[in-house]
């Protein structure tokens, strides 16, 4: 089985209140020196067949229409090593 990962992040111009809350909390918890935090989503899709151009096109379509809100989010599709 092959694994394809879709990372979804808010576009840079969109405010990220969850990331800001984490960024403000880190120094209070002893984690100083972190200038910014952006929170996102990660989807791991395990494919039954090979990861070919057609499979990647279908995953990009799923990401664009279902996994990400492309008005406010960007996404990246990448192939990971074979899942065990």
């Amino acid at each position: 089985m092959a694994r394809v990962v879709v990372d979804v992040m808010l576009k840079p111009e969109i405010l990220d209140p969850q990331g800001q809350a984490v960024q403000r909390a880190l120094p209070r918890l002893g984690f100083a020196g972190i200038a910014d935090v952006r929170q996102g989503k990660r989807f791991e899709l395990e494919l039954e067949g090979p990861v070919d151009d057609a499979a990647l096109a279908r995953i990009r379509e799923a990401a664009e229409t279902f996994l990400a809100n492309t008005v406010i989010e960007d996404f990246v599709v990448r192939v990971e090593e074979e899942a065990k």
Side-chain angles (χ1 to χ4, degrees):
M1 292 183 124
R3 177 178 295 154
V4 177
V5 175
V6 180
D7 290 312
V8 180
M9 296 292 296
L10 286 171
K11 291 182 177 184
E13 62 271 16
I14 302 297
L15 292 177
D16 183 358
Q18 289 177 309
Q20 290 172 344
V22 170
Q23 191 273 329
R24 286 190 304 270
L26 287 171
R28 292 192 306 266
L29 297 171
F31 300 101
I34 298 173
D36 192 28
V37 175
R38 304 282 293 173
Q39 183 172 329
K41 300 179 277 191
R42 172 185 167 111
F43 296 92
E44 295 181 358
L45 301 118
E46 292 192 16
L47 304 184
E48 294 176 347
V51 180
D52 55 17
D53 290 341
L56 287 174
R58 292 290 294 156
I59 290 170
R60 283 188 190 92
E61 181 182 5
E64 191 168 352
T65 59
F66 180 67
L67 302 178
N69 176 350
T70 57
V71 173
I72 62 170
E73 295 174 319
D74 291 325
F75 66 89
V76 175
V77 175
R78 60 189 167 82
V79 179
E80 282 196 347
E81 69 278 350
E82 283 194 28
K84 294 179 174 135

